Amino acid sequence: MSIITVNPLFELIVWTIQASRKVTFELIWDLFIHAPQYYEYWWTNLLRDAPLHVFIETSLILFILWLTFIRRTVDPGKSSNNTKLTQKEVDWLLETWQPEPLVPELSTAEKFIIDNCPLIEGFTQEGDALLVRGVSEPVIDCCSFDFLGMSQDATVKKVTKDALDYYGCGSCGPRGFYGTIDQHLNFELAIAKFMGTQEAISYSDGASALSSAIPAFSKKGDLLIVDESVSEPILTGLNLSRSTVQFFKHNDVVDLRSILEAIAEDDVNKRRDSTQQRRFIVVEGLYRNEGDICPLPEILALKEEFCYRMILDESLSFGTLGASGRGVTEHFGIETSDVEIVLLAMDTALASIGGVCVGSREIVDHQRLSGAGYCFSASAPPFLSAAAIAALTKLEKEPQMLVHLNDRVQILYGALKSIPLLQHKSTLPTPVMHLVFETPLASVNDEAMAMLEIAKLCLQGGVAVTASKFAIMKGLRPSLVVCASTKLTDMQIKKIAHVIGSSVRSHLKV
């Protein structure tokens, strides 16, 4: 017995054709004549059976009628407020109109910085002093991070000039798009070998290395535990990462532990799997804003205990700490591989420009596609990589440079500590020394202006120092920053302490 499947659409068509055959002219005329009566009958039954349906339908009909016939759109050309101004009124409005400034008005400190910004014109022939416009005599350099004096080394200069003559200036593109030159690769191999890591990746700017590497690994929803005194490039990287950020007190391991324990307790209470979130501890080896060294062994122990990764900025500690200049890891006898992400600067001990991230192959390869400064910025000129290679070679061959630097640091530290009215807040063996007022002034702005005035007096006295102009984080006081280098002699160190002391007394009028 066969089963016949009936198509519903076919049935509808058949029913429509059959019903249309029953329609006559008399039926159509009757519907037209008696339409009001039929509608009243339908409406009455509908109101009795479904009153809510009637209410909604009536409301929609009234709304459509209101939109169509009653509501009026605004015609600017026919507006009653379109009163034409007289020429006198127009002239008065133009004369009295004051546009808002595009940028906020400069503060007193900012105006002072602009008006008193020194211009360095070069170095003396010996390379141990600066030539500053407006200052008749050479000035002792205590303001740069050229700790090992590599920028004035004859060998480094010659290699740089030869590379400039051979390659030209620019590399004409990002690293991933026809911007990689053999000098870039040679430097990455050399620095990775020197640091004892698998690979290295170089950026064209030291600040962009930090602000690119952090958001390359930490994204929205991840967690960053950060020392409150980190430098500006790290803060930029934190903002770009859009991660959750918590700050711990500067170099306070107890406070760091309390934060990590609170997070772990919160994980248990909320039944949250910590492995589903990338978590990092971010510190500097040698703090730019404080001039002291991070307690790396204790922080590494907490990192392992609570299962975090670490981002370590060795921008200032590279080439200054450790027996061979490998940074704070070597200073504490820690393997570089124990830290997941290590960043170095090429513009300090290597007499160049740029930044480097060293680590495992996975860490480096990830940044070749995710590091914004690597992917989208033009690569560094090849001669800068050549200069860094030459400086690194010299550092490897002459580790006694570090011994000499430490000797200069010790002597300068003692000389500055003896200056009255100032307090040394940095700790040995740092080559970056911060001096603050022993007795705080009335406000942070007063201290900032005072430090700027003292730095100006020091320059007139033949010593170039800098002032930390603004407190980046809460509790960071303005300070006078003095940098040590291998170029300083004993006589120059005595002069530095004398000039700073006399400038402070002159400004405070004591």
Side-chain angles (χ1 to χ4, degrees):
M1 178 178 168
S2 62
I3 299 175
I4 301 176
T5 302
V6 180
N7 191 334
L9 179 61
F10 178 75
E11 286 188 342
L12 178 62
I13 296 174
V14 172
W15 178 86
T16 304
I17 295 174
Q18 291 176 350
S20 63
R21 292 175 179 174
K22 298 179 181 180
V23 177
T24 61
F25 177 76
E26 290 79 7
L27 180 60
I28 296 174
W29 179 254
D30 181 68
L31 289 173
F32 179 76
I33 295 298
H34 300 93
Q37 291 86 345
Y38 289 140
Y39 182 76
E40 181 182 359
Y41 175 77
W42 171 81
W43 183 265
T44 304
N45 291 335
L46 183 63
L47 183 61
R48 182 183 65 248
D49 299 335
L52 181 61
H53 176 79
V54 173
F55 173 77
I56 295 174
E57 185 176 286
T58 304
S59 300
L60 290 174
I61 292 173
L62 294 175
F63 180 69
I64 293 172
L65 292 175
W66 177 78
L67 286 177
T68 306
F69 300 105
I70 301 176
R71 179 176 178 267
R72 296 180 180 179
T73 57
V74 178
D75 186 355
K78 298 181 180 179
S79 175
S80 59
N81 296 326
N82 188 23
T83 304
K84 187 176 181 180
L85 299 175
T86 63
Q87 186 60 41
K88 185 177 180 179
E89 291 173 329
V90 172
D91 294 339
W92 179 82
L93 289 174
L94 292 175
E95 290 176 1
T96 58
W97 180 67
Q98 293 293 333
E100 294 183 1
L102 296 177
V103 294
E105 186 178 354
L106 295 177
S107 65
T108 304
E110 291 170 335
K111 291 179 180 178
F112 184 89
I113 294 170
I114 294 175
D115 296 337
N116 297 276
C117 184
L119 178 62
I120 298 174
E121 296 182 330
F123 291 83
T124 58
Q125 189 172 1
E126 296 79 11
D128 58 349
L130 301 174
L131 300 177
V132 181
R133 179 177 295 181
V135 181
S136 57
E137 297 295 327
V139 176
I140 300 174
D141 180 13
C142 293
C143 58
S144 73
F145 291 149
D146 185 20
F147 306 114
L148 301 178
M150 292 286 192
S151 65
Q152 298 304 305
D153 182 78
T155 303
V156 175
K157 283 185 173 182
K158 182 180 184 307
V159 170
T160 306
K161 182 180 181 302
D162 292 343
L164 179 61
D165 293 338
Y166 183 80
Y167 293 98
C169 184
S171 53
C172 302
R175 287 290 304 274
F177 189 58
Y178 63 78
T180 296
I181 311 297
D182 58 351
Q183 290 292 341
H184 299 138
L185 302 177
N186 293 338
F187 170 69
E188 290 173 351
L189 289 173
I191 193 67
K193 181 181 178 181
F194 181 78
M195 293 299 295
T197 59
Q198 291 181 344
E199 287 190 13
I201 179 173
S202 60
Y203 291 82
S204 55
D205 180 71
S208 66
L210 287 162
S211 59
S212 297
I214 293 175
F217 292 98
S218 185
K219 308 292 184 181
K220 185 176 182 180
D222 295 331
L223 178 62
L224 295 169
I225 310 298
V226 188
D227 189 291
E228 66 180 3
S229 293
V230 293
S231 59
E232 184 64 26
I234 293 180
L235 295 177
T236 302
L238 301 181
N239 290 330
L240 293 175
S241 72
R242 301 185 299 167
S243 303
T244 302
V245 180
Q246 290 193 34
F247 292 95
F248 64 93
K249 295 178 182 178
H250 175 60
N251 275 353
D252 192 335
V253 180
V254 176
D255 185 53
L256 175 59
R257 172 176 281 279
S258 65
I259 291 176
L260 298 179
E261 288 176 346
I263 294 172
E265 183 180 353
D266 194 47
D267 289 340
V268 174
N269 294 336
K270 294 182 178 180
R271 298 180 180 180
R272 183 172 54 202
D273 185 3
S274 61
T275 61
Q276 299 302 311
Q277 183 186 46
R278 286 168 290 203
R279 297 178 175 183
F280 298 88
I281 298 175
V282 184
V283 293
E284 294 182 40
L286 173 56
Y287 283 91
R288 186 186 304 261
N289 293 328
E290 299 283 354
D292 53 5
I293 302 169
C294 78
L296 188 61
E298 293 87 347
I299 295 177
L300 273 177
L302 291 177
K303 174 187 85 77
E304 297 296 335
E305 180 181 348
F306 291 92
C307 298
Y308 279 66
R309 298 180 179 92
M310 179 178 285
I311 300 176
L312 175 62
D313 176 21
E314 294 249 38
S315 294
L316 295 183
S317 52
F318 175 77
T320 60
L321 299 180
S324 58
R326 288 175 171 83
V328 71
T329 51
E330 185 182 43
H331 176 74
F332 287 109
I334 296 170
E335 294 292 334
T336 307
S337 58
D338 291 341
V339 181
E340 286 78 10
I341 303 170
V342 178
L343 292 128
L344 316 173
M346 299 165 61
D347 47 13
T348 54
L350 295 182
S352 185
I353 298 174
V356 191
C357 180
V358 297
S360 65
R361 185 169 291 106
E362 292 78 9
I363 291 293
V364 170
D365 286 346
H366 178 72
Q367 294 177 75
R368 297 198 189 278
L369 293 177
S370 300
Y374 182 90
C375 296
F376 303 111
S377 296
S379 59
F383 69 84
L384 293 177
S385 295
I389 293 172
L392 186 62
T393 303
K394 184 178 177 63
L395 179 60
E396 285 186 283
K397 292 181 178 180
E398 302 178 22
Q400 64 271 18
M401 297 172 64
L402 279 301
V403 178
H404 183 53
L405 175 64
N406 186 61
D407 177 68
R408 299 295 90 190
V409 168
Q410 298 283 346
I411 296 176
L412 180 61
Y413 187 91
L416 296 179
K417 201 169 185 179
S418 63
I419 299 176
L421 305 175
L422 292 180
Q423 180 182 350
H424 211 316
K425 73 171 186 175
S426 304
T427 57
L428 288 173
T430 170
V432 181
M433 306 176 192
H434 287 254
L435 304 175
V436 298
F437 288 114
E438 191 172 35
T439 302
L441 301 186
S443 68
V444 174
N445 289 334
D446 290 342
E447 289 196 0
M449 282 300 303
M451 289 300 179
L452 290 170
E453 292 280 3
I454 292 171
K456 181 180 178 181
L457 293 174
C458 289
L459 183 64
Q460 295 171 354
V463 177
V465 296
T466 57
S468 62
K469 305 168 187 64
F470 308 103
I472 301 174
M473 300 294 293
K474 184 180 179 181
L476 186 61
R477 292 176 59 189
S479 61
L480 203 65
V481 185
V482 184
C483 297
S485 72
T486 56
K487 292 287 186 180
L488 295 178
T489 64
D490 291 345
M491 291 298 296
Q492 287 178 328
I493 291 175
K494 290 181 181 179
K495 180 178 179 180
I496 291 167
H498 172 74
V499 170
I500 293 177
S502 61
S503 300
V504 172
R505 291 190 297 271
S506 173
H507 177 75
L508 297 179
K509 297 179 174 59
V510 295

